[in-house]
Amino acid sequence: MSKGSFPKWCLLNLAPPAAAFVIRMLGRLMRLETVGGEVPRSFVERGEYPILAFWHDQLLLMVLGYTGPGSKILISASKDGELIARVMHRFGMGAVRGSSNRGGRAAFRELVALGKESVDLVVTPDGPKGPRHQVKDGVVQLARLTGRGVVPMAFACSRGHRFASWDRFLLPYPFCRGVFAFGPPLYHAEGESVEQFRARIQEAMKENLERAESRLTSYGLSAV
């Protein structure tokens, strides 16, 4: 192993198990609950598979909020994406690698093909580089071509740190209260334009995040 490759090897092989450990410990040290959990359960009961959509800044704990029968998450082809993919693998989630500026078309074709398989599809509609909390056309076209329902998923917590990144990535603090929320599925309607469907998903994502934040408010807490 060359001198320059050793740090990279350490990063790719030691960081993922450490990150997975942190995620699991955070889950055990937080007071977590779920709003709208009947939505993903209904898909399991019907033997159907949704497209789960959540904002990029909420990525860290989402593996604790949904434990369906299997999933494939779209992750960028960057070095950071490789780390995330390895962490997700430790929670039983597969990865489809690609983004708008690197391997995006091939990744999208793979997702469409997976739409015929018995796996959930998971996307961050504003990733990998934003704009923050703005739905791009990828999830719209994926739902249109596969016929699957888009299920908004959100996470909010009472205490945590927001990083100075484009998405203001959220790191929850131990011992805080956290809420996962699921919204009703959205299906592409016959004759509906891409922009009309995108606007519906955008509004549903907004409402679902507010649903999670409202649960915190009911406890006299505010979301980070």
Side-chain angles (χ1 to χ4, degrees):
M1 182 181 296
S2 67
K3 190 174 182 179
S5 64
F6 182 70
K8 181 179 179 181
W9 182 92
C10 289
L11 184 65
L12 292 178
N13 290 277
L14 300 182
F21 173 79
V22 169
I23 291 171
R24 290 190 173 98
M25 287 303 298
L26 274 174
R28 291 171 183 166
L29 295 173
M30 293 171 61
R31 298 177 65 183
L32 296 172
E33 64 177 296
T34 300
V35 177
E38 69 278 2
V39 175
R41 284 197 300 269
S42 69
F43 276 84
V44 175
E45 291 166 358
R46 296 194 304 269
E48 298 178 3
Y49 301 88
I51 299 172
L52 290 167
F54 54 83
W55 298 130
H56 197 274
D57 63 299
Q58 300 163 17
L59 174 64
L60 186 64
L61 294 189
M62 287 310 199
V63 290
L64 303 181
Y66 179 74
T67 54
S71 59
K72 295 285 187 177
I73 181 171
L74 178 62
I75 299 174
S76 74
S78 65
K79 293 179 181 178
D80 289 345
E82 178 64 23
L83 284 173
I84 295 171
R86 293 189 180 209
V87 174
M88 295 299 102
H89 178 72
R90 290 182 169 271
F91 290 91
M93 296 183 68
V96 175
R97 305 297 305 280
S99 59
S100 57
N101 58 359
R102 186 178 178 185
R105 291 185 178 182
F108 183 77
R109 288 194 296 270
E110 184 176 350
L111 285 172
V112 172
L114 286 169
K116 301 176 182 178
E117 304 295 331
S118 299
V119 294
D120 300 321
L121 303 181
V122 185
V123 298
T124 53
D126 59 343
K129 294 185 177 180
R132 182 178 188 266
H133 289 193
Q134 294 296 313
V135 174
K136 297 179 181 178
D137 286 345
V139 66
V140 178
Q141 297 288 9
L142 183 61
R144 185 180 68 83
L145 293 172
T146 62
R148 291 190 175 201
V150 178
V151 174
M153 184 179 178
F155 175 76
C157 65
S158 59
R159 292 191 304 116
H161 174 73
R162 290 280 185 182
F163 288 91
S165 54
W166 70 265
D167 61 349
R168 298 184 62 227
F169 192 82
L170 174 61
L171 174 64
Y173 288 157
F175 310 113
C176 74
R177 185 181 287 272
V179 179
F180 295 103
F182 295 90
L186 297 96
Y187 295 87
H188 181 258
E190 185 176 355
E192 185 178 31
S193 70
V194 169
E195 179 54 33
Q196 288 172 329
F197 190 32
R198 189 202 65 78
R200 282 206 294 128
I201 296 174
Q202 179 74 44
E203 183 62 23
M205 295 285 290
K206 176 177 177 290
E207 291 177 354
N208 192 52
L209 179 55
E210 291 173 349
R211 185 176 295 116
E213 293 173 342
S214 294
R215 180 55 66 97
L216 290 177
T217 302
S218 70
Y219 296 118
L221 303 170
S222 58
V224 178

